Amino acid sequence: MASSTLLPAILQAVMQKMPAALNDHHYPGWHLAPVTGLLNDPNGFIHFDGHYHLFYQWNALGCEHKHKCWGHWRSADLLHWQHQPIALMPDEAYDRSGCYSGSAVDDDGVLTLIYTGNVKFDDGTRTAWQCLAQQNSAAGFDKLGPVIALPEGYTGHVRDPKVWRQGNHWYMVLGAQDRQLQGKVLLLRAENLQQWQLLGEIAGSGLGGLGPAGYMWECPDMFTLGDSTYLICCPQGVAREEKRFLNSHPSAWLSGTLDDQTPAYRHGPLHELDAGFEFYAPQTTLTADGRRLLVGWMGTPDGEEMAQPTVAHHWIHQMTCLRELSSRDGKLCQQPIAELQALREAGKVYQGRADDAPPIDAQRLELLLESQGGIELNFADTLIVTWQQDALQLARRSLVTGEWHYRYWTGAASRLQILCDHSSVEIFINDGEGVMSSRYFPTQPAWLTLRGRAELQAHYWSLRRCMVE
């Protein structure tokens, strides 16, 4: 679609289709979601000038992966968000096939976006530019154009710049695919955002002690917590295992130390970041008080997304809840941000056998469970958690075939924190040692039924709605 007609078409789509989305009983009550069309990767997550900004990949014109713009939300408290003007649209030669993912930085008091301009050619080939845009006085963004061309030795799959300031330099990690079709993460450095030096490959397939580990590493993000430098990424094509990396494309993390001079990233094995059915493209930022937060897209590429019933209501996908990251014994842990507790309504308590517990309204729910396992959690006969002494199993029927699909977390669990919305369940295990995030589409109102002879303690709250303004 020509750039001259894109904005009017977006406005028409929002006006015509937003009512159907917002009236869908699967539309979330407190998670971030598109007012219409398709949402995917979170972008540009940053605290800037007293507000948090979260941008997102958005196709307002339909539920397909096309016409990728950057939508924009802003919040003072991480709970109440407001819509901002569309930040980026694919209206230049260097980003005509989509304004793909990237990050945001404070460049001497100016909110600046670094994103991938995607260009697809008629012969099926593609290229990519890493581009800049700066916020203007009208709260929109002025494009400054490309600053990094496609590096030599890589295919057109180079994208998703994540940029941070360290000392006197800017640093960037960038997802890439080399000419041998192996996924890599590149490290770049600059004194200003215009002129970048490629330092080299720091992680990926065949590097750092890893064997074959996928054909493309998307959405890299690097940060330090405690004594460890973490790299989170989305290694497309990593081999499926019996109980890990079962999604069409997973998210993962590495822990180690970075030498930016060599460069070299010395790290341990690849770990799954979220063991649920839907989680991808996470991005982190620092809060004003120094916490490291993460948000992810509660979706997966190339899965059963187009079979989701929300498509009939002209919208698809949502974000995860915001999560605080911590490093415990070399493990990357995730917990819901403390700010979410402000959504709690009157609390209830249950102690006793699971079989004797009352049904719980799971429409919008926070549930804390303590037990040694031997319990089944049945969410409206649509999503079933089997909590064993040494593992959790998540079961959900295929939206296409009706057969049961399974996801797993292995280890002894004694405490679960579960957050539910109208069509999502997020399970935090042992104070964030593991997480399982999934969409599900129950009849409403949805009820949670507990089964089993094991003893448990439960504390739970209904969560109030918290919609974007």
Side-chain angles (χ1 to χ4, degrees), residues 111 203 211 218 251 271 370 417:
L111 182 57
E218 292 192 313
S251 294
H271 300 275
E370 294 187 16
Q417 182 178 9

Side-chain angles (χ1 to χ4, degrees), residues 131-198:
C131 309
L132 296 182
Q134 288 184 334
Q135 191 170 41
N136 56 40
S137 59
F141 286 82
D142 299 323
K143 293 181 179 178
L144 304 183
V147 294
I148 301 174
L150 191 69
E152 186 176 350
Y154 298 89
T155 73
H157 292 279
V158 176
R159 54 182 173 266
D160 311 333
K162 181 63 192 292
V163 176
W164 71 96
R165 185 81 178 177
Q166 185 173 315
N168 296 322
H169 291 90
W170 294 102
Y171 288 86
M172 175 192 294
V173 281
L174 190 60
Q177 181 187 68
D178 67 19
R179 290 292 182 183
Q180 289 71 48
L181 307 185
Q182 298 296 300
K184 308 289 184 180
V185 173
L186 311 181
L187 181 69
L188 297 89
R189 183 172 59 204
E191 293 187 5
N192 59 65
L193 294 175
Q194 300 278 348
Q195 298 171 309
W196 290 89
Q197 174 191 5
L198 175 59

